[in-house]
């Protein structure tokens, strides 16, 4: 999701302000000589370790996780095969669905009950929610529920049956599901697609973005057993992996795009559309697959039977399937070079699509395919090759804001050039986190939004040279931290006191903290660890400890102090230069750490002969609670200036005292 969809837009005002990053001249790095000032009382004194995590420790003991951050030798996760059918009536906005789920129990536990999400019940009368929700919608109407071949009745009594509590459905199975076994679940249901104003999707009468439209297995994992937190609208999702076969029935002339690959193009697309799509597969530019003039049955789509077409899609190893449809869409396509995605030693490409209404050209949607291509190619290099068949940007109801789905984004509203690029690259960034690296977005929003906000900044820097998105994140975090009300990152996404505190903890602060981590580790080590985290947890369910431990494993450093400071606390960083004085043939630089956050102090001492020395006071200097350290350097050649963190990697609340002379 994009932070601006619910955060105040003013937070990102000034997006185009460019901040020059001062570099430090080369020169010999000398080890600093430091002495602690005696008797300083310590604001940061006390434990610098992170709080014990019993569930994680238990998983390490059982061998499903490790203390090095890699999945353990006994790591397991569940799997589901979905066969889903739906017919949408765009006039009544009703969706009729039916499906069969085959749930594979790969855990070592015997399951007597299973849980599913009925996320659409966010719209049920009386549903609890913490975001605005259109009131005139209903929840999911289930007309058939069966498990292991036996039809089930709703009942709150113990014994075989099912019950629905808000967005969570519990099924008490007819027969216990043993480890290694599987169980089929059958459903038939109806729902009404919510109007514009619904979070993350819905319909505006012209475009339908269909999300959370089927009963979806909840995650049963090695850390929490069933994770069945309610969907309240704000905090996002935790989804398991599976394969999907989907058949969607729509009126002819309505273009459909979905997570997964289209399996029957000859049945649903015209010969003209197919030919243009083929050419887009190796085009260097953007191919206009469906133009204004093409938008009729027989020209864009094929002609249907009885005025209807059935679109068949297949998606492998995804967390979810969503889809979109409109009779007004234009369709642009091209391709992206993603590197060797399937490991056969050859370069692969992914299809790039954009579906949008003609008037959205005013919001630069005719550039959308180009933006998507750059984003997919950039992240494929920066993180790991994009493995899915396509990446598709969809113009949806304005309340989509920016929202990610596997292989798809839903983007609503009006945008300028940089704005559309930013929201596009942000949502595409989510293909890596959390679509490919399947963390729990609900309990740890920063693992999803924070990593993506950081990655977005990297893509923007590559596409719009000179735009410093990292600085914007830093300013948003520091501005909020200054005004009070900040809450720690390690908090459930539905338990923030305000949207502002959620936005900062989910997006801006973690993105800023990752820049600081890159500064601590150096870019090469940071990138290596970041990629390794993705590689280790591809299609798996990492927890925060797995990310922390991977960074420590790859860098060979104990970073508990860093995680504690930035993820578990709301401590602020305030380093500065107190005094500079001559002592014989030396110069004594007294640096302070006034905030509670502990970080290394990185000093650059520039001399009149043009030389610049980089000195670092390690973070451990502050563990005991000292506030001041003296750094002694040679007095000659004469020192021209001293600066702390000239790269501005660290989010210091007051930069004015970091330069000498002031
Ligand atoms: Zn996001």
């Amino acid at each position: 999701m994009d932070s601006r969809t619910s955060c105040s837009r003013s937070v990102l005002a000034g997006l185009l302000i460019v901040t020059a990053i001062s570099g430090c001249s080369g020169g010999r790095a000398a080890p600093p000589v430091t002495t602690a000032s005696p008797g300083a009382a310590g604001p940061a004194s006390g434990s610098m370790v992170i709080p014990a995590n019993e569930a994680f420790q238990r998983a390490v003991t059982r061998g499903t996780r490790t203390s090095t951050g890699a999945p353990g030798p006994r790591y397991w996760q569940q799997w589901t095969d979905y066969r889903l059918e739906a017919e949408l009536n765009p006039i009544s906005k009703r969706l009729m669905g039916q499906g069969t789920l085959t749930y594979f129990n790969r855990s070592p536990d015997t399951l007597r009950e299973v849980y599913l999400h009925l996320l659409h019940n966010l719209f049920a009368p009386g549903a609890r929610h913490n975001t605005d929700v259109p009131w005139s919608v209903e929840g999911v109407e289930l007309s058939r529920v069966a498990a292991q071949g036996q039809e089930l009745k709703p009942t709150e009594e113990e014994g075989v049956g099912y019950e629905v509590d808000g967005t969570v459905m519990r099924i008490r199975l007819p027969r216990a599901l043993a480890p290694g076994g599987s169980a089929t679940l059958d459903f038939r249901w109806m729902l009404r697609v919510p109007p514009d104003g619904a979070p993350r999707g819905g319909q505006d009468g012209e475009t339908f973005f269909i999300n959370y439209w089927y009963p979806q297995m909840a995650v049963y994992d090695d850390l929490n057993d069933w994770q069945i937190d309610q969907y309240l609208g704000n905090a996002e999702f935790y989804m398991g992996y599976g394969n999907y076969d989907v058949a969607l029935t729509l009126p002819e002339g309505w273009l459909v795009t979905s997570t997964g690959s289209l399996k029957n193009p000859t049945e649903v697309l015209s010969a003209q559309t197919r030919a243009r799509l083929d050419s887009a597969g190796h085009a260097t530019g953007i191919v206009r697959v469906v133009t204004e003039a093409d938008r009729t049955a027989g020209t864009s789509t094929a002609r249907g039977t009885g005025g209807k077409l059935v679109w068949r899609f297949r998606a492998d190893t995804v967390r979810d399937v969503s889809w979109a449809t409109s009779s007004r869409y234009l369709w642009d396509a091209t391709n992206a070079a993603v590197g060797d995605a399937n490991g056969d030693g050859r370069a692969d490409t992914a299809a790039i699509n954009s579906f949008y209404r003609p008037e959205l050209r005013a919001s630069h949607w005719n550039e959308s395919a180009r933006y998507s291509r750059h984003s997919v190619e950039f992240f494929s290099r920066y993180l790991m090759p994009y493995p899915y068949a396509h990446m598709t940007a969809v113009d949806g109801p304005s309340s989509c804001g920016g929202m990610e789905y596997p292989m798809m984004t839903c983007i609503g509203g009006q945008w300028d050039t940089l704005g559309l690029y930013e929201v596009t690259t942000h949502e595409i960034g989510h293909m890596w986190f959390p679509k490919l690296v399947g963390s729990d977005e609900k309990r740890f929003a920063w693992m999803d939004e924070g990593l993506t906000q950081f990655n977005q900044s990297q893509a923007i820097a590559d596409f719009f040279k000179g735009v410093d998105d990292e600085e914007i994140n830093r300013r948003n975090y520091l501005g909020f931290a200054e005004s009070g009300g900040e809450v720690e990152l390690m908090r459930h996404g539905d338990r923030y006191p305000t949207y502002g505190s959620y936005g900062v903890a989910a997006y801006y602060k973690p993105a800023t903290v990752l820049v600081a981590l890159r500064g601590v580790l150096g870019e090469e080590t940071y990138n290596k660890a970041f990629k390794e985290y993705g590689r280790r947890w591809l299609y798996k369910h990492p927890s925060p400890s797995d990310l922390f431990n991977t960074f420590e494993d790859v860098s060979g450093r104990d970073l508990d102090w860093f995680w504690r400071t930035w993820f578990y606390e709301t401590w602020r960083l305030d380093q500065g230069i107190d005094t500079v004085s001559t002592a014989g043939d030396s110069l004594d630089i007294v640096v302070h750490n006034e905030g509670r956050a502990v970080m290394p102090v990185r000093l650059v001492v520039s001399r009149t002969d043009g030389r610049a020395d980089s000195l670092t006071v390690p973070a451990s200097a502050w563990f005991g609670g000292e506030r001041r350290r003296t750094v002694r350097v040679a007095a000659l050649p004469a020192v021209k200036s001293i600066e702390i963190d000239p790269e501005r990697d660290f989010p210091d609340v007051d930069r004015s005292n970091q330069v000498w002379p002031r």
Side-chain angles (χ1 to χ4, degrees):
M1 195 168 164
D2 190 86
S3 58
R4 283 173 301 172
T5 59
S6 343
C7 246
S8 128
R9 280 186 76 95
S10 64
V11 173
L12 280 182
L15 197 61
L16 273 166
I17 291 173
V18 178
T19 305
I21 300 205
S22 50
C24 108
S25 61
R28 187 175 45 86
V33 181
T34 68
T35 50
S37 43
S45 61
S47 171
M48 284 309 300
V49 300
I50 60 177
N53 180 336
E54 279 175 32
F56 186 80
Q57 281 314 319
R58 205 166 47 236
V60 172
T61 306
R62 288 174 180 169
T64 59
R65 312 255 161 174
T66 66
S67 53
T68 60
R74 301 170 73 91
Y75 181 80
W76 54 265
Q77 69 191 35
Q78 307 294 67
W79 182 266
T80 312
D81 284 338
Y82 293 82
R83 303 185 72 86
L84 306 174
E85 291 174 29
E87 176 164 0
L88 174 67
N89 180 332
I91 307 296
S92 68
K93 326 289 193 254
R94 298 254 169 209
L95 180 148
M96 312 285 292
Q98 59 177 343
T100 299
L101 284 56
T102 309
Y103 182 65
F104 295 86
N105 181 15
R106 294 173 174 177
S107 81
D109 311 321
T110 295
L111 304 177
R112 291 183 169 76
E113 56 185 17
V114 296
Y115 287 86
L116 295 97
H117 293 293
L118 299 175
L119 297 172
H120 186 84
N121 273 352
L122 180 70
F123 305 107
R128 288 178 291 148
H129 47 82
N130 54 18
T131 50
D132 289 340
V133 166
W135 58 271
S136 60
V137 193
E138 308 97 43
V140 183
E141 250 177 69
L142 291 162
S143 55
R144 177 178 149 82
V145 177
Q148 297 166 319
Q150 182 178 329
E151 184 130 8
L152 304 184
K153 293 277 170 265
T155 170
E156 286 176 14
E157 286 164 27
E158 287 310 305
V160 178
Y162 74 90
E163 60 193 292
V164 176
D165 171 24
T167 62
V168 176
M169 177 186 209
R170 174 189 183 203
I171 293 181
R172 295 183 297 274
L173 295 168
R175 292 183 301 282
L177 177 54
S182 67
T184 58
L185 306 170
D186 294 287
F187 301 94
R188 191 168 298 150
W189 70 93
M190 184 174 77
L191 58 83
R192 199 152 66 86
V193 182
D196 197 0
R200 304 181 175 88
Q203 53 82 21
D204 56 18
E206 294 184 341
T207 67
F208 288 71
F209 197 99
I210 312 296
N211 57 10
Y212 320 130
W213 56 283
Y214 60 94
Q216 183 181 30
M217 292 306 305
V219 174
Y220 183 82
D221 71 19
D222 62 315
L223 292 174
N224 303 294
D225 297 347
W226 290 104
Q227 206 281 39
I228 46 173
D229 300 346
Q230 293 280 333
Y231 175 42
L232 302 176
N234 183 51
E236 295 196 304
F237 312 97
Y238 186 29
M239 296 172 171
Y241 287 95
N243 290 345
Y244 288 72
D245 280 298
V246 178
L248 305 170
T249 303
L250 272 299
E252 59 181 9
W254 284 66
L255 285 172
V256 180
T257 180
S258 171
T259 303
S261 300
L262 179 64
K263 300 317 282 184
N264 61 338
T266 56
E267 291 171 22
V268 295
L269 298 176
S270 70
Q272 170 183 292
T273 300
R274 279 182 278 127
R276 290 177 183 174
L277 209 47
D278 278 352
S279 73
H282 36 83
T284 50
I286 308 301
V287 175
R288 311 293 175 186
V289 177
V290 172
T291 69
E292 271 110 319
D294 302 326
R295 296 177 301 169
T296 52
T299 311
S300 60
T301 70
R303 298 305 299 254
T305 311
K308 291 177 182 177
L309 290 168
V310 181
W311 301 65
R312 297 182 188 281
F313 295 90
R314 164 83 186 184
D316 289 340
T317 320
V318 290
R319 299 181 5 148
D320 187 18
V321 163
S322 65
W323 49 283
T325 184
S326 177
S327 60
R328 297 204 62 231
Y329 278 148
L330 310 178
W331 184 354
D332 290 353
T334 185
N335 60 86
V338 299
D340 179 14
N342 56 12
D344 67 357
R346 289 199 301 268
D348 297 302
T349 60
I352 299 291
N353 303 299
S354 287
F355 289 83
Y356 59 98
R357 287 163 285 186
E359 56 272 28
L360 267 292
R361 287 194 186 107
S363 285
H364 312 281
W365 270 86
N366 50 333
E367 297 288 340
S368 160
R370 196 163 67 85
Y371 295 171
S372 296
R373 177 174 60 198
H374 174 267
S375 302
V376 169
E377 293 186 341
F378 177 80
F379 292 129
S380 290
R381 286 195 306 273
Y382 184 67
L383 299 165
M384 61 177 138
Y386 182 68
Y388 292 133
H390 71 87
M391 182 67 232
T392 297
V394 177
D395 142 38
S398 62
S399 61
C400 264
M403 184 60 199
E404 72 279 8
Y405 298 91
M407 308 180 211
M408 298 178 76
T409 68
C410 185
I411 297 171
Q414 308 294 314
W415 305 91
D416 61 16
T417 324
L418 180 57
L420 185 68
Y421 178 83
E422 185 205 332
V423 68
T424 302
T425 207
H426 179 99
E427 307 318 333
I428 289 177
H430 277 306
M431 297 309 118
W432 282 262
F433 307 101
K435 303 303 174 201
L436 294 171
V437 181
S439 62
D440 182 343
E441 307 165 64
K442 237 179 187 21
R443 296 185 180 182
F444 309 105
W446 63 266
M447 295 185 79
D448 152 45
E449 298 298 356
L451 270 57
T452 298
Q453 190 75 12
F454 172 87
N455 289 335
Q456 157 193 316
S457 301
Q458 315 313 312
I460 288 175
D462 192 67
F463 194 72
F464 288 98
K465 306 289 181 199
V467 177
D468 188 355
D469 194 51
E470 291 180 353
E471 171 63 17
I472 294 163
N473 293 333
R474 190 179 303 124
R475 225 166 35 216
N476 288 336
Y477 153 56
L478 287 174
F480 194 84
E482 284 294 282
S483 70
E486 194 203 336
V487 174
E488 75 281 358
L489 271 53
M490 295 293 279
R491 179 185 285 232
H492 193 293
D494 282 319
R495 293 181 196 143
Y496 284 85
T498 58
Y499 193 82
S501 59
Y502 170 79
V504 165
Y507 294 81
Y508 302 121
K509 183 174 175 182
T512 298
V513 163
L514 291 175
V515 172
L517 182 59
R518 187 181 62 194
V520 167
L521 298 179
E523 189 163 5
E524 195 184 329
T525 302
Y526 173 86
N527 287 347
K528 198 172 153 200
F530 197 25
K531 282 187 182 190
E532 180 65 6
Y533 165 68
R535 195 191 64 79
R536 288 176 172 182
W537 292 95
L538 175 65
Y539 304 128
K540 295 188 174 74
H541 298 308
S543 71
S545 300
D546 300 309
L547 183 145
F548 298 157
N549 290 341
T550 294
F551 270 90
E552 297 196 0
D553 184 40
V554 173
S555 67
R557 292 174 61 170
D558 180 350
L559 296 167
D560 265 17
W561 57 271
F562 188 92
W563 315 127
R564 173 71 187 268
T565 295
W566 296 113
F567 291 76
Y568 290 86
E569 308 290 349
T570 53
W571 295 341
R572 280 181 263 165
L573 180 68
D574 187 7
Q575 301 175 338
I577 300 168
D578 262 9
T579 56
V580 178
S581 55
T582 310
D585 56 0
S586 297
L587 202 66
D588 282 351
I589 309 162
V590 178
V591 295
H592 70 240
N593 186 50
E594 292 290 357
R596 293 196 65 183
V598 293
M599 285 289 273
V601 180
R602 305 188 310 175
L603 283 165
V604 175
V605 179
S606 301
R607 298 178 186 274
T608 48
D609 67 349
R611 221 180 72 197
D613 293 332
S614 299
L615 312 164
T616 301
V617 179
S620 57
W622 315 114
F623 289 1
E626 299 90 341
R627 281 177 184 272
R628 275 168 181 73
R629 278 265 161 165
T630 302
V631 180
R632 179 164 289 180
V633 298
L636 295 172
V639 170
K640 193 174 63 180
S641 65
I642 305 168
E643 185 168 5
I644 293 176
D645 186 30
E647 296 86 357
R648 295 174 173 248
D649 286 333
F650 300 163
D652 197 288
V653 294
D654 176 13
R655 296 204 69 87
S656 68
N657 58 13
Q658 292 188 222
V659 185
W660 179 91
R662 300 228 213 293

